[in-house]
């Protein structure tokens, strides 16, 4: 069942679908990753692409729960950052295409808010 978006802010970024799928930098139209649209509850992602474009993605939903910040690390399985509780994939970031990034992503199943930086 599709979720109802509360907030969707894309700055110099686009998504292949409404709230997930392939992520692109609009400065150079380069694929910078993949957002697994069924497993996350909220995302705040800011980046600087290798082309110099600075962009961001912020999405949450009408039914987004209050998440708890955690110092736990996401687990990497086959280039996907996954929740350490249930190993569900949340996001793939093509780090070689980005100069830097800051990620906050909340897992829909465990309500933990994970942080990752480059």
């Amino acid at each position: 069942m599709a979720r109802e978006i509360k907030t969707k802010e894309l700055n110099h970024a686009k998504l292949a679908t409404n709230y997930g799928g392939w992520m692109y930098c609009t400065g150079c139209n380069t694929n910078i990753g993949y957002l697994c649209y069924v497993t996350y509850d909220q995302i705040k992602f800011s980046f600087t692409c290798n082309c110099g474009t600075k962009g961001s993605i912020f999405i949450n939903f009408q039914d987004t729960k209050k998440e708890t910040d955690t110092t736990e690390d996401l687990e990497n399985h086959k280039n996907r950052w996954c929740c350490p509780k249930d190993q569900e994939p949340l996001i793939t970031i093509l780090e070689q295409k980005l100069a830097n990034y800051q990620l906050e992503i909340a897992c829909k199943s465990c309500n933990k808010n994970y942080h990752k930086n480059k």
Side-chain angles (χ1 to χ4, degrees):
M1 180 162 96
R3 298 179 74 191
E4 189 175 333
I5 294 173
K6 179 179 178 183
T7 309
K8 179 179 178 182
E9 298 172 1
L10 303 177
N11 296 304
H12 302 290
K14 67 180 178 178
L15 295 171
T17 64
N18 193 24
Y19 53 84
W22 294 108
M23 303 183 303
Y24 297 91
C25 167
T26 59
C28 62
N29 208 32
T30 296
N31 178 346
I32 58 171
Y34 185 85
L35 181 58
C36 301
Y37 57 92
V38 295
T39 56
Y40 79 95
D41 204 32
Q42 177 172 285
I43 183 170
K44 294 178 186 174
F45 180 64
S46 59
F47 65 90
T48 303
C49 182
N50 287 339
C51 76
T53 299
K54 293 179 187 250
S56 63
I57 297 171
F58 174 61
I59 300 172
N60 65 7
F61 301 92
Q62 294 294 343
D63 62 348
T64 292
K65 298 177 182 85
K66 174 103 173 101
E67 60 274 336
T68 305
D69 276 332
T70 183
T71 57
E72 291 179 80
D73 287 332
L74 293 169
E75 294 181 358
N76 193 303
H77 298 284
K78 299 182 181 177
N79 294 325
R80 296 177 182 167
W81 291 110
C82 301
C83 173
K85 302 285 186 223
D86 60 13
Q87 284 73 49
E88 286 290 330
L90 297 169
I91 191 169
T92 299
I93 300 172
L94 301 177
E95 293 190 7
Q96 70 276 17
K97 296 183 179 183
L98 299 175
N100 60 61
Y101 68 85
Q102 293 79 41
L103 171 68
E104 287 184 41
I105 192 164
C107 176
K108 186 177 174 186
S109 65
C110 76
N111 296 322
K112 299 279 186 183
N113 193 40
Y114 298 94
H115 300 262
K116 191 121 195 84
N117 298 302
K118 172 186 174 191

